[in-house]
Amino acid sequence: MAAVVEWSPGYVPADVSGAAFLMQRELQWFEVLEDKSPPLIKSLKFEVKEDKSSPSKSLELKETKQRSGKTYWGVFVEQRKDLVKEAGQWMKDTSSSCSVISTLIFTVAFAAAFTVPGSNDRGNPVFQKGDSFLVFTVANALSLFSSVTATS
């Protein structure tokens, strides 16, 4: 448990694409180790001292009986406050980008709904009897509805 708490949240593995995914991975790692540890370890309280001599800002955890001591979970959360802020900003930026893309898809799907492929022959589309026209209509309707849902 001490290794999880002391592990630097600044290290990002190559397969993690954003701060939110890094936070998710660290939470999963903490939960797995917490589940596998004895119940007594979960309730231990520690006095937290930062090691000023080490450039990596490692922690020194000393067991204490005082109420002001922190559990492993408390130290874990305190160490990752910056990561939580960064993950929140990453989520906002990602959702903003997705909204722009879904608006563009909605615009194209809306225009395609009123612009029938081929031409009109006495008010009816030329390709109306073909299977490809049905596929086009269903795909266009799905893209229109899904982009509207994603935008709202």
Side-chain angles (χ1 to χ4, degrees):
M1 293 293 286
V4 173
V5 171
E6 291 178 6
W7 186 74
S8 172
Y11 169 72
V12 180
D15 62 338
V16 176
S17 62
F21 292 125
L22 178 61
M23 190 70 207
Q24 178 187 25
R25 176 179 272 184
E26 289 190 15
L27 281 171
Q28 289 170 345
W29 187 29
F30 184 88
E31 288 171 358
V32 166
L33 288 178
E34 189 178 43
D35 288 343
K36 293 189 184 283
S37 63
L40 179 63
I41 289 180
K42 295 176 190 176
S43 62
L44 286 178
K45 297 221 178 214
F46 296 93
E47 182 181 343
V48 181
K49 294 181 180 177
E50 283 193 36
D51 188 4
K52 303 286 183 192
S53 63
S54 175
S56 64
K57 295 173 104 178
S58 65
L59 300 174
E60 184 180 335
L61 300 174
K62 289 189 177 181
E63 191 175 340
T64 183
K65 301 288 183 192
Q66 298 175 1
R67 291 180 136 199
S68 63
K70 297 181 180 176
T71 61
Y72 281 119
W73 175 249
V75 177
F76 181 83
V77 169
E78 187 177 306
Q79 285 292 102
R80 283 147 180 88
K81 283 183 181 177
D82 292 337
L83 184 60
V84 170
K85 288 179 185 175
E86 187 180 333
Q89 185 62 40
W90 182 83
M91 291 294 285
K92 287 178 187 176
D93 294 343
T94 303
S95 67
S96 173
S97 299
C98 289
S99 293
V100 168
I101 297 299
S102 65
T103 303
L104 290 172
I105 292 171
F106 171 75
T107 305
V108 171
F110 186 77
F114 291 103
T115 308
V116 180
S119 61
N120 288 331
D121 183 29
R122 298 185 200 130
N124 294 328
V126 174
F127 299 125
Q128 185 175 6
K129 303 221 189 266
D131 292 336
S132 59
F133 185 76
L134 180 62
V135 170
F136 166 78
T137 305
V138 170
N140 189 43
L142 285 175
S143 67
L144 187 64
F145 293 133
S146 63
S147 62
V148 166
T149 303
T151 304
S152 32

